[in-house]
Amino acid sequence: MRLRALLDTDALGLRLLGGEDELDRPVRGVMTTDLRDPSRYLSGGELVLTGLAWRHDATDSEPFVRILAQAGVSALAAGEAELGPIPDDLVEACRHHRMPLFAVNETVAFATITEYVVRQVSGERAGDLAAVVDRHRRLMTSGPAGGGPEVVLDLLAGDLSLSAWVLSPTGRRIADAGKPLPGPVATALAGHHLAAARTGRRGPHAASVDGTTYALFPIRNTGRGAVPAPGDTRGSALSEWLLAVEADPGDWPEARLDLLQGVTQLIAVERDRRDAARTVRRRLAQEVLELVQTGAAPAEIAARLRVAAPVLLPGLGTAPHWQVVVARVEWEAPDGGPAARTGAEDAADGPVAQALLEEILVDPAVTGPDSADRIAVAYTEDEAIALVPLPAVAPAAPVPGDGADDGAYGADPALRAGALLDAVREPLSAGLADDGRLTLGVSAAVHSAEGLRGALEEARHARRVAAARPGRVCAAGHDELASHVLLLPFVPDDVRRAFTARLLDPLRSYDQRHRAELIPTLEAFLECDGSWTRCATRLHLHVNTLRYRVGRIEQLTGRDLSRLEDKLDFFLALRMS
């Protein structure tokens, strides 16, 4: 019941002295007290009745009301029978703490108010329990088989006024009841869920985003697509869906919590159904990749792709370009080194990587509409491998001198390594915490079966480049394999430190002593390809000043910045520092 209902009940003889804006607060109980500090007996949501015996002077009101506010009390009702009119200091203290204050007429006993509130609250709880039981029965007969998770969420919205969404572990919206959930909020909720799941606490988990509280329920994946986790459950949450409900679960009775747990079981059935629909694509991808890895003839691989075309290429024609994406999930030991793994645990990381890679690639913003019907992901022990068909589009206009293959694609539909992770880095980093890593490698596009073996090796090399970088979620693409970027991560740390120290430490020391900005000047000079005019303009310096600084750099390091070899050494030292 609400405070407003108490005020509207004439028999209770309540008069409002302050807190008009708070009358929609719920009342969950009633308590009578004249203790100075009744906090040990308060659980929140009570209407507190007092005869003011605790008040000896005006200074007592503020601490008493503050204690009530901190305990989450809904309102205070003070009797006028003993001390007469309510003192102004109590009115002011309630106003300061936004505590609704009622005066109880001397003709009304506290027992009358207590009996009324208890009767109303008990009746509401009994009615809510009966309604929950009936709704649970309806949900069980109107679950995913009757229309998917949207049907269940519609019932929650219509009957219990609960706004709810089903989200993937990356924050992608899977189902809702029509109420939009902003993308940044969904991403933040997924991160909260994954971080809470790592603690091992039983759901639901409460999360606050932009001032709104949500209850987060894990949707356990227990069907054929479930991720096994022998001896190590860290990866299981990374493949779970979650149910996000716009409400504070701390306010719910057990019956309502049981209802929502039942809802997650219904949605888990839908998750199993969707995983089963991916089984054929996964098997076809596995067969193609086994042929590629065992060195089968291109004609045999091409024949298998033609057989797979109706499943993997709906609406894309018969000869798309392909890309290969490789993903790997790795865990560290408590001391920060690589975790010692059993063969069973290595095999468990493959499905985790498969589930994450599928989730990343089915995002329409990444791979286009209907991508969920085309992505095929297989796994081999500790890594997942995706075959991604790229849709052919008509060229905007023929370009003389272009090859036939280039002319068949008017826009570049190829995946970019960085773009794959833009939307998922935040939540997955929370799930990987401080001991897990996800690394991805992306190949160039190939247009025939002959190119798939090279594409697979290219993607694996790119993933190793990503693994050499800092960060919990990293990716690298084929374009980085023909660059110094490929070599630098594999230089031993002690060699990197010695190389950069010899070239840059004299400049850093000089900058610290004289504030000469030699390091920024060196960076700008190299970025301007040694052009004095362009570099001086960029740094807003006179050319003579720039020449003086470059001369000082050469003097301190014994190098000559007019020589290509010395320029290259400085360039690499800056990249490795």
Side-chain angles (χ1 to χ4, degrees):
M1 67 179 303
R2 305 286 174 177
L3 291 174
R4 193 179 305 278
L6 294 176
L7 187 63
D8 293 340
T9 304
D10 294 337
L12 300 182
L14 297 177
R15 188 173 76 259
L16 184 66
L17 300 181
E20 293 87 349
D21 296 336
E22 309 294 333
L23 290 179
D24 286 327
R25 288 186 181 182
V27 179
R28 300 186 181 89
V30 62
M31 176 191 177
T32 300
T33 185
D34 275 314
L35 295 173
R36 285 175 174 266
D37 182 2
S39 58
R40 73 184 70 179
Y41 305 110
L42 297 170
S43 58
E46 295 93 350
L47 171 67
V48 172
L49 304 174
T50 181
L52 301 180
W54 49 265
R55 181 183 177 278
H56 298 140
D57 56 48
T59 62
D60 292 335
S61 292
E62 201 283 333
F64 180 78
V65 176
R66 182 176 68 251
I67 289 170
L68 299 188
Q70 291 173 345
V73 166
S74 291
L76 175 65
E80 296 180 318
E82 292 289 334
L83 303 178
I86 308 302
D88 291 339
D89 52 89
L90 181 59
V91 176
E92 175 59 26
C94 288
R95 185 199 63 77
H96 176 70
H97 290 284
R98 300 175 63 88
M99 177 65 62
L101 175 63
F102 298 102
V104 182
N105 190 280
E106 61 182 4
T107 62
V108 179
F110 283 174
T112 299
I113 299 174
T114 300
E115 180 183 356
Y116 179 85
V117 172
V118 169
R119 187 170 61 249
Q120 294 296 318
V121 171
S122 298
E124 286 183 1
R125 287 177 177 168
D128 187 57
L129 177 59
V132 164
V133 172
D134 178 64
R135 287 167 187 131
H136 193 269
R137 176 186 58 78
R138 292 168 57 196
L139 289 171
M140 294 302 293
T141 58
S142 304
E150 286 82 3
V151 172
V152 180
L153 301 186
D154 283 338
L155 283 173
L156 290 178
D159 288 1
L160 292 180
S161 299
L162 292 176
S163 298
W165 302 265
V166 178
L167 305 175
S168 77
T170 63
R172 179 175 59 89
R173 186 193 61 78
I174 295 169
D176 60 36
K179 182 177 179 179
L181 185 68
V185 174
T187 299
L189 291 177
H192 280 295
H193 165 69
L194 290 174
R198 286 298 302 270
T199 68
R201 299 195 313 270
R202 183 176 180 270
H205 307 291
S208 180
V209 179
D210 294 340
T212 301
T213 300
Y214 299 85
L216 307 180
F217 294 82
I219 299 173
R220 305 297 182 190
N221 187 17
T222 58
R224 285 172 290 181
V227 172
D232 191 348
T233 59
R234 290 177 292 185
S236 59
L238 293 171
S239 62
E240 290 178 353
W241 288 359
L242 68 138
L243 175 68
V245 182
E246 190 178 331
D248 186 347
D251 295 337
W252 289 350
E254 285 297 321
R256 184 164 289 191
L257 287 171
D258 289 344
L259 170 67
L260 269 296
Q261 295 291 359
V263 167
T264 65
Q265 295 172 13
L266 290 172
I267 298 173
V269 175
E270 171 68 7
R271 172 70 185 272
D272 293 343
R273 186 189 67 78
R274 296 192 184 188
D275 275 333
R278 291 178 177 172
T279 301
V280 174
R281 292 196 299 276
R282 288 172 173 172
R283 187 178 68 248
L284 290 172
Q286 200 85 35
E287 292 174 356
V288 171
L289 288 168
E290 286 176 2
L291 291 174
V292 171
Q293 294 188 102
T294 56
E300 186 178 357
I301 299 173
R304 194 71 193 99
L305 286 174
R306 284 194 295 272
V307 173
V311 175
L312 300 181
L313 315 173
L316 292 186
T318 58
H321 284 196
W322 297 87
Q323 276 185 283
V324 176
V325 182
V326 172
R328 186 169 181 174
V329 174
E330 298 174 288
W331 305 101
E332 296 175 358
D335 60 1
R341 310 286 291 168
T342 67
E345 289 170 335
D346 280 337
D349 285 340
V352 173
Q354 180 187 46
L356 285 177
L357 189 51
E358 284 178 335
E359 172 56 38
I360 292 168
L361 293 176
V362 299
D363 187 345
V366 174
T367 49
D370 302 322
S371 56
D373 296 329
R374 299 195 304 267
I375 301 303
V377 183
Y379 69 88
T380 58
E381 293 186 355
D382 57 352
E383 69 178 7
I385 304 168
L387 285 176
V388 182
L390 303 177
V393 296
V399 180
D402 275 2
D405 290 328
D406 293 334
Y409 287 76
D412 183 7
L415 302 179
R416 297 285 180 259
L420 287 177
L421 300 181
D422 286 345
V424 303
R425 183 173 280 106
E426 178 184 342
L428 292 186
S429 295
L432 294 163
D434 56 358
D435 60 351
R437 297 198 73 204
L438 169 67
T439 52
L440 272 71
V442 183
S443 78
V446 296
H447 61 84
S448 67
E450 289 88 342
L452 281 179
R453 184 176 179 82
L456 176 58
E457 290 305 314
E458 194 172 54
R460 283 175 168 162
H461 281 304
R463 193 208 63 78
R464 285 193 284 271
V465 171
R469 293 173 174 167
R472 291 293 158 193
V473 182
C474 298
H478 64 93
D479 52 322
E480 300 178 59
L481 300 183
S483 165
H484 66 281
V485 177
L486 174 63
L487 301 176
L488 295 186
F490 300 102
V491 177
D493 287 343
D494 55 342
V495 176
R496 293 162 66 101
R497 286 192 293 269
F499 182 76
T500 57
R502 281 197 299 269
L503 283 174
L504 301 183
D505 279 3
L507 306 183
R508 293 193 182 104
S509 298
Y510 191 88
D511 281 348
Q512 290 173 357
R513 294 195 308 270
H514 303 285
R515 298 182 181 180
E517 298 187 354
L518 296 185
I519 292 287
T521 300
L522 176 61
E523 290 177 333
F525 187 71
L526 294 176
E527 289 173 3
C528 293
D529 299 324
S531 169
W532 298 98
T533 303
R534 283 195 289 126
C535 185
T537 301
R538 174 184 290 193
L539 296 176
H540 306 291
L541 298 175
H542 192 279
V543 172
N544 288 341
T545 303
L546 176 61
R547 291 185 183 277
Y548 172 79
R549 288 187 183 180
V550 170
R552 179 63 67 183
I553 291 170
E554 293 175 334
Q555 180 184 21
L556 291 170
T557 60
R559 299 299 184 103
D560 183 353
L561 277 169
S562 66
R563 297 178 66 247
L564 176 61
E565 293 86 347
D566 288 344
K567 286 181 182 177
L568 180 59
D569 284 348
F570 277 122
F571 175 81
L572 293 175
L574 290 168
R575 287 295 181 271
M576 289 191 291
S577 63

